[in-house]
Amino acid sequence: MSLKKEIEINNLPKHIAIIMDGNGRWAKEKGFLRVFGHESGTKSVRGVVEACTELGIENLTLYAFSSENWNRPKLEVKTLMQLLISSLKKEMSTMEKNSIRLNAIGNLNNLPKKVQKELLHVIDSTRKNKKMTLTLALSYGSRDEITDATRQICDKVKNNIISIENIDDTLINQHLYTRNLPDVDLLIRTSGEKRISNFLLWQIAYAELYFTDVYWPDFVKENLYEAIINYQKRERRFGKTSEQLN
Ligand code: IPE
Ligand code: IPE
Ligand code: MG
């Protein structure tokens, strides 16, 4: 029996972000190489993207490669980049069919040229799609993002484009890579780790956090439904009292 029908369709998170973790441990426990875990993880991506479009989630952001992940063994990094290219190629038609707009955040210039080319191609081809924005965080670090925003804002102040009084949270938001996305409502991390690992620090200020022990390659649609149902049972108070909300 699917949990899907327990989801209240008028109380969906507008923005779900996922730290897809545990590929390496999943593979190791089965006696495989880590890279096999990454390959299996792409199936979970497909399932979750499909589940989100079916439900009508407007924004899904996936942490696929962090600024710190460049420090992994060269071969693992290379395999991850190749997987990215092949997945983009494979999934392009599904994105078109399901009206998914691809977006990417992070220090994209650091990605191999081949990845950049494929990424920009899919972003451009899907730019008019309206149903869901799928954002891939690639070579992404939240501190880098905030540092970049700070530099841009300082530059504008220096050149008298804005004054210091204009700096507020809306302005800061407009200088982040996520400028066109709403705040994260639900942040999911798989694999049992309970940390944020430099992901969307600003954007999760009031997100509901959901941690599951399931490794990413084992994460299926039902696991996502479970997370959404759990989210819907929470009371989001945004600093107010429970009584004020009713
Ligand atoms: C997440 O799985 C994928 C990436 C970080 C690219 P990991 O590769 O971190 O898997 P574990 O945490 O080592 O099990
Ligand atoms: C976070 O996972 C990055 C991604 C899921 C892409 P890591 O596995 O790199 O995080 P840490 O280093 O264990 O915190
Ligand atoms: Mg990990």
Side-chain angles (χ1 to χ4, degrees):
M1 206 178 66
S2 173
L3 290 168
K4 194 176 175 185
K5 52 185 181 328
E6 286 180 34
I7 296 175
E8 296 164 43
I9 248 30
N10 48 15
N11 182 25
L12 289 173
K14 279 202 167 52
H15 188 177
I16 298 179
I18 308 181
I19 303 175
M20 311 183 288
D21 198 16
N23 295 352
R25 279 163 285 162
W26 179 89
K28 204 173 158 193
E29 283 178 18
K30 292 189 151 41
F32 301 134
L33 293 173
R34 290 179 56 83
V35 293
F36 187 68
H38 297 314
E39 204 183 304
S40 296
T42 61
K43 294 193 196 87
S44 303
V45 173
R46 194 173 311 137
V48 163
V49 170
E50 200 177 271
C52 285
T53 45
E54 285 164 357
L55 285 170
I57 303 291
E58 288 166 20
N59 297 281
L60 173 66
T61 299
L62 301 176
Y63 204 5
F65 194 85
S66 74
S67 49
E68 288 76 22
N69 288 149
W70 290 114
N71 299 319
R72 291 196 177 190
K74 262 207 176 81
L75 184 66
E76 181 167 344
V77 172
K78 199 175 155 195
T79 311
L80 281 166
M81 295 300 143
Q82 280 165 349
L83 268 176
L84 194 57
I85 298 177
S86 59
S87 300
L88 285 166
K89 284 198 166 124
K90 228 191 276 170
E91 302 305 324
M92 166 104 152
S93 58
T94 315
M95 286 191 239
E96 285 295 10
K97 196 177 82 204
N98 295 329
S99 188
I100 299 169
R101 184 175 76 90
L102 187 73
N103 178 38
I105 55 173
N107 202 334
L108 307 180
N109 291 327
N110 286 350
L111 295 169
K113 286 280 163 309
K114 269 188 169 169
V115 176
Q116 290 187 38
K117 203 179 133 217
E118 198 56 43
L119 193 60
L120 294 181
H121 171 62
V122 182
I123 289 174
D124 189 54
S125 313
T126 60
R127 70 182 188 284
K128 296 210 172 106
N129 294 346
K130 293 252 151 50
K131 198 156 185 263
M132 180 172 85
T133 298
L134 169 63
T135 301
L136 297 181
L138 293 167
S139 186
Y140 174 89
S142 188
R143 287 184 168 182
D144 284 349
E145 178 182 37
I146 294 169
T147 307
D148 276 358
T150 308
R151 286 208 186 107
Q152 287 176 45
I153 293 168
C154 289
D155 197 61
K156 286 184 183 169
V157 172
K158 193 173 91 187
N159 293 305
N160 294 316
I161 298 167
I162 55 169
S163 68
I164 287 180
E165 291 68 40
N166 295 132
I167 303 174
D168 57 12
D169 68 3
T170 308
L171 185 108
I172 293 173
N173 239 327
Q174 285 165 354
H175 289 82
L176 297 174
Y177 308 148
T178 52
R179 59 184 70 87
N180 298 316
L181 299 174
D183 278 352
V184 175
D185 295 308
L186 170 61
L187 174 74
I188 299 171
R189 183 170 190 148
T190 59
S191 89
E193 304 297 2
K194 292 180 186 68
R195 54 177 174 262
I196 303 300
S197 303
N198 203 11
F199 191 43
L200 304 174
L201 300 177
W202 172 278
Q203 298 87 340
I204 61 167
Y206 255 108
E208 295 297 328
L209 310 181
Y210 181 86
F211 298 102
T212 169
D213 287 339
V214 175
Y215 290 143
W216 181 249
D218 287 330
F219 194 89
V220 292
K221 287 183 182 184
E222 290 298 313
N223 298 110
L224 180 81
Y225 301 152
E226 223 173 338
I228 295 174
I229 291 164
N230 183 292
Y231 162 88
Q232 292 184 329
K233 288 192 181 127
R234 301 188 192 184
E235 182 175 63
R236 303 186 76 194
R237 291 191 288 277
F238 297 99
K240 295 183 179 172
T241 68
S242 203
E243 292 69 28
Q244 282 177 297
L245 298 174
N246 298 315

